[in-house]
Amino acid sequence: MTQLQALIFDVDGTLADTERDGHRVAFNRAFAEAGLDWEWSVERYGELLRVTGGKERIRQYLSEDHPSALAEPGIDTRIRELHAAKTRHYVAMLKTGAIPLRPGVRRLLDAAQAAGLRLAIATTTTPENVTALLEATLGSAGPGRFEVIAAGDVVPAKKPAPDIFTYALEAMNLPASACLALEDSDNGVRSARAAGLEVVVTTNDYTRAQDFTGALAVLDGFGEPDQPARVLDGPLLEGPVVDVATLRAWCAGAGA
Ligand code: XBP
Ligand code: MG
């Protein structure tokens, strides 16, 4: 690979564990507020996560559990309204500081910027969710640390399609060979790889058992000095944490 110049971060599951106690809860609040008896359990939500994008996920749920509702006139508007309510609940939760960054994320962001790497985001989630998470966890300057925030419906096809990563690369005017994607899911790995990117994966409870074929390395997190990262698949880690030197070495190895 060419010299590493930028890191492109996924959001949900990578920057923060947002799904089980964040997005899922917000969906359920929106359903209850609309007088619906739909309730997504932790387990059911894990199954629905295979579909990226909240509106797409609601549609998938209806096709499986309430097919007659999906056939009703005006269902597209209904889904959009439910999703807008879900976003409102989710952003409100984030603003209370309910969801922290994953261990090692702030350290890695600081180190990357100190080393002159450019930062970007490529996510399927709604843009205002990203801004709210970054402001709540990194302060008002948080979103500005990312040169590009590629999110949600800005591209027509969500992950595992490559579009959102391709969009971020074009916005940064960088080739895929100068960038590294950080992801937590199989859909994310497929998306990044299809855009020509190398990928490092940090797993979480929902994604641990997924197939990360094509990833440079799979870890249980980026690690902190007192909370070492564990490599689940891939090259050895020469210390307790994933740092810029590690990422540079892994990327250089990929091109060897
Ligand atoms: C994860 C997703 C998103 C969120 C919900 O995105 O699939 O759909 O679960 O967000 P990523 P919205 O891992 O790419 O960050 O409801 O706003 O779509
Ligand atoms: Mg993710």
Side-chain angles (χ1 to χ4, degrees):
M1 112 167 324
T2 359
Q3 164 103 2
L4 182 64
Q5 294 182 52
L7 302 181
I8 309 179
F9 284 85
D10 169 54
V11 174
D12 298 300
T14 302
L15 290 183
D17 269 324
T18 50
E19 295 291 7
R20 190 191 67 187
D21 301 329
H23 289 293
R24 183 185 69 88
V25 173
F27 279 112
N28 285 335
R29 285 184 184 162
F31 299 153
E33 189 179 63
L36 297 161
D37 63 358
W38 310 344
E39 168 101 34
W40 291 354
S41 67
V42 170
E43 192 188 358
R44 183 76 180 108
Y45 191 66
E47 296 162 3
L48 292 167
L49 272 177
R50 72 182 179 277
V51 176
T52 60
K55 294 185 287 296
E56 294 82 350
R57 194 167 298 142
I58 295 172
R59 183 172 292 280
Q60 179 67 25
Y61 166 70
L62 293 182
S63 76
E64 292 175 16
D65 290 29
H66 302 279
S68 58
L70 199 51
E72 281 168 18
I75 189 64
D76 291 344
T77 307
R78 192 87 205 281
I79 289 174
R80 268 201 305 277
E81 287 169 359
L82 281 170
H83 188 254
K86 176 260 168 177
T87 299
R88 174 167 45 78
H89 286 293
Y90 181 69
V91 167
M93 282 173 73
L94 290 177
K95 285 189 172 161
T96 68
I99 304 198
L101 295 177
R102 289 188 66 181
V105 168
R106 180 191 293 264
R107 174 190 55 72
L108 185 57
L109 293 174
D110 290 348
Q113 285 194 297
L117 293 179
R118 295 159 65 182
L119 301 179
I121 275 174
T123 172
T124 66
T125 204
T126 303
E128 54 205 284
N129 297 347
V130 184
T131 311
L133 176 71
L134 296 177
E135 284 178 352
T137 54
L138 294 170
S140 57
R145 296 178 63 175
F146 296 85
E147 167 179 342
V148 175
I149 297 183
D153 296 325
V154 70
V155 290
K158 293 186 172 149
K159 299 175 189 175
D163 305 33
I164 198 72
F165 280 106
T166 304
Y167 179 97
L169 289 170
E170 282 172 4
M172 284 190 293
N173 197 24
L174 281 174
S177 59
C179 304
L180 174 69
L182 293 312
E183 269 287 353
D184 73 304
S185 71
D186 53 0
N187 279 324
V189 170
R190 285 164 61 198
S191 173
R193 295 297 288 147
L197 288 152
E198 298 293 346
V199 195
V200 168
V201 175
T202 53
T203 64
N204 53 59
D205 285 348
Y206 273 134
T207 67
R208 195 159 295 129
Q210 292 178 350
D211 177 1
F212 300 115
T213 301
L216 268 184
V218 181
L219 304 109
D220 66 354
F222 294 120
E224 291 284 17
D226 60 349
Q227 202 178 336
R230 207 158 52 90
V231 177
L232 307 175
D233 192 15
L236 271 179
L237 189 59
E238 289 185 13
V241 304
V242 175
D243 55 18
V244 173
T246 313
L247 296 178
R248 283 198 191 283
W250 287 350
C251 286

